[in-house]
Amino acid sequence: MVSVVEFRIDRRSGVATYLQIVQQVKQALRLGTLVEGDRLPTAAQVAATTKVNPNTTLKAYRELEREGLVEPRPGLGTFVSRTLARPESAADTLLRAELRSWMERARAEGLDREDVRALVDSVLEERYGEG
């Protein structure tokens, strides 16, 4: 199965491009958007949609391979080898709905994406420590 992940690169974030790709794949694995057996886009496909050097994507895929999350299959592509998703529970569904509601309120109050990210990161660090 071909992946539905589409990378979004924020060149102003201060996070290395290859790490942004790694983080986005991990997020898709956690959310179940990517599942075992899915094929990641080729480095050429990523380059075409994001203007990222294909070697940057390959570096990200090597890191994901090192972590045991993907496996390259010569001539076929890079495939997801395991998921990070937890089985969905009622608590996850409720928390997602509450978060969605909170995000709607934040947007209504005039917070933009970066304001929300800063606020969430601040509370995340406060509650979970640096990660």
Side-chain angles (χ1 to χ4, degrees):
M1 175 188 263
V2 175
S3 142
V4 293
V5 69
E6 193 172 305
F7 299 113
R8 288 179 179 76
I9 304 303
D10 180 356
R11 288 165 179 28
R12 298 170 297 154
S13 74
V15 176
T17 303
Y18 88 97
L19 285 176
Q20 290 183 51
I21 293 171
V22 168
Q23 291 167 350
Q24 290 174 44
V25 168
K26 287 180 175 181
Q27 180 178 18
L29 290 169
R30 279 191 183 85
L31 295 174
T33 308
L34 282 175
V35 296
E36 191 172 332
D38 282 351
R39 183 173 64 82
L40 296 178
T42 65
Q45 289 169 327
V46 175
T49 59
T50 64
K51 308 297 184 237
V52 167
N53 185 307
N55 289 329
T56 301
T57 301
L58 294 173
K59 182 176 181 179
Y61 287 6
R62 280 192 301 275
E63 176 63 20
L64 291 162
E65 180 186 5
R66 191 187 64 72
E67 294 183 31
L69 299 173
V70 302
E71 63 182 7
R73 296 182 192 158
L76 297 175
T78 301
F79 292 81
V80 173
S81 55
R82 73 179 174 94
T83 184
L84 294 175
R86 297 179 323 134
E88 192 165 318
S89 69
D92 289 348
T93 304
L94 178 59
L95 289 170
R96 181 179 271 280
E98 289 175 5
L99 183 56
R100 187 174 287 122
S101 175
W102 182 88
M103 293 275 180
E104 288 169 5
R105 287 195 328 266
R107 179 178 250 172
E109 291 292 326
L111 275 68
D112 67 17
R113 176 185 221 100
E114 293 308 313
D115 295 332
V116 168
R117 181 171 283 132
L119 190 54
V120 168
D121 286 348
S122 170
V123 174
L124 195 60
E125 188 174 318
E126 193 178 286
R127 293 290 174 227
Y128 289 92
E130 287 231 18

